[in-house]
Amino acid sequence: MKRIQLLDKEFSLSIPASDIKRAIWLMADKINRDLKDKNPLMVCILNGSFMFSADLMKLIEFPCQISFVKLASYEGMGSTGKVKELIGFNEELKGRTVVLLEDIVDTGVTVENSVKQLLQTGASEVIVATLLYKPDACKREVKLDYIGLEIPNDFIVGYGLDYDGYGRNLPDIYSLVK
């Protein structure tokens, strides 16, 4: 089993890049069927979703727009329980279908706040596509329309996810060695 060291923590391989690519391909296939006539605005939640969003967008077969927001709810290895908006929404959302592209849903706080904000700005519907979902960690009732992979409640890094800013560049996903 492959292991890596980031700062003071050791991580072991948990999801290889090939499994990630397959999950994204399956999600894109569903999105292509479901949303082809909706003219959606895809919204990538930075920083963690940048790799997932880029790979997913390459597989979308209909015209659509993409935008980016930067939200923060983590410090170190834990959620603060609060969502800080660092870069907000700039596009006209009234009457639009908006697809939130999220790297991971664990507590559900970020997704819940983002969906509420988008609906308040006039989006006709908000659809959530997440690469990873931790059902055992979720504390909010959030509707997830597209889920790439369900995973255990482990601390993970790689493929856009980080530990204090490190590990986002890794093509695989790694779990903290306890």
Side-chain angles (χ1 to χ4, degrees), residues 30-31 42 46 62 66 78 98-99 129 132 138-139 154 156 171:
K30 290 177 188 169
I31 290 172
M42 312 297 242
L46 297 173
F62 53 83
I66 187 166
V98 176
V99 181
L132 304 168
C138 197
K139 296 177 174 143
D154 296 333
I156 58 174

Side-chain angles (χ1 to χ4, degrees), residues 118-155:
L118 288 165
L119 291 172
Q120 288 172 352
T121 61
S124 62
E125 68 178 324
V126 179
I127 294 167
V128 178
T130 184
L131 175 62
L132 304 168
Y133 175 51
K134 292 182 180 180
D136 293 337
C138 197
K139 296 177 174 143
R140 307 294 175 112
E141 290 292 323
V142 291
K143 181 179 179 249
L144 305 177
D145 301 278
Y146 302 97
I147 299 171
L149 300 162
E150 287 192 11
I151 62 170
N153 191 14
D154 296 333
F155 184 78

Side-chain angles (χ1 to χ4, degrees), residues 3-4 21 33 37 50 65 69 83-84 92 100 107-108 127 146 154 158 167 171 173-174:
R3 290 184 180 241
I4 60 163
K21 287 180 181 173
R33 282 183 307 211
D37 298 321
F50 76 99
Q65 295 173 303
V69 295
V83 178
K84 292 187 280 185
E92 174 59 46
L100 277 179
T107 64
I127 294 167
Y146 302 97
D154 296 333
I173 293 175
Y174 295 81

Side-chain angles (χ1 to χ4, degrees), residues 88-119:
F89 301 102
N90 293 323
E91 284 71 25
E92 174 59 46
L93 303 177
K94 189 170 178 120
R96 295 281 311 261
T97 294
V98 176
V99 181
L100 277 179
L101 302 176
E102 184 63 282
D103 55 347
I104 187 166
V105 174
D106 48 21
T107 64
V109 171
T110 301
V111 167
E112 180 184 62
N113 287 337
S114 297
V115 169
K116 281 181 187 174
Q117 182 181 357
L118 288 165
L119 291 172

